[in-house]
Amino acid sequence: MAESRISDYTLNAVRSRVSTHAVAEQAGLSLRREATGKHRVLCVFHDEKTPSAMVYEDPERGGYCFGCDTGFDAIKLYKEIHNLVIVQIQRHISHFV
C-alpha cells in the first residue's frame, strides 16, 4: 500500500502554527534562553559541543544554525530529530495542529 503525500495545505498549517521552539522542547533538547522568544540549542544537523542553533517561539521565525549554516522550520527540525521521511510525519504531526 502506497503512502499518501501530505498536502501543501497541511504542511503550511503546521508551519504557521508550530514553532521550532515547541518541537525542540517536546523532543527534550536542552534550551538556553537568549532573549524574549529566542533560545539556543545544540544543532541536530551536525555534531557539536557548544549550542550554535537558534529556535524561536514564533512559528514564522523558524530556526537557524550558525555552525553549519542551516535554516529550518518546525517540520524539518522534527524530521531530523526523529529520523523520519516526510510521509512518515503525517502520523506524527496531528498532535501539534
Side-chain angles (χ1 to χ4, degrees), residues 4-63:
S4 61
R5 183 178 179 275
I6 301 172
S7 72
D8 289 338
Y9 175 81
T10 301
L11 292 174
N12 289 331
V14 170
R15 286 184 182 110
S16 69
R17 295 179 189 156
V18 181
S19 70
T20 52
H21 173 266
V23 172
E25 187 174 53
Q26 181 268 339
L29 298 181
S30 179
L31 300 166
R32 188 173 74 203
R33 188 179 194 95
E34 292 286 309
T36 303
K38 179 171 142 178
H39 304 266
R40 189 172 294 273
V41 298
L42 289 172
C43 181
V44 299
F45 299 99
H46 74 279
D47 291 328
E48 64 180 3
K49 294 181 181 178
T50 304
S52 63
M54 300 301 288
V55 294
Y56 300 90
E57 293 174 12
D58 178 1
E60 301 296 323
R61 302 257 343 242

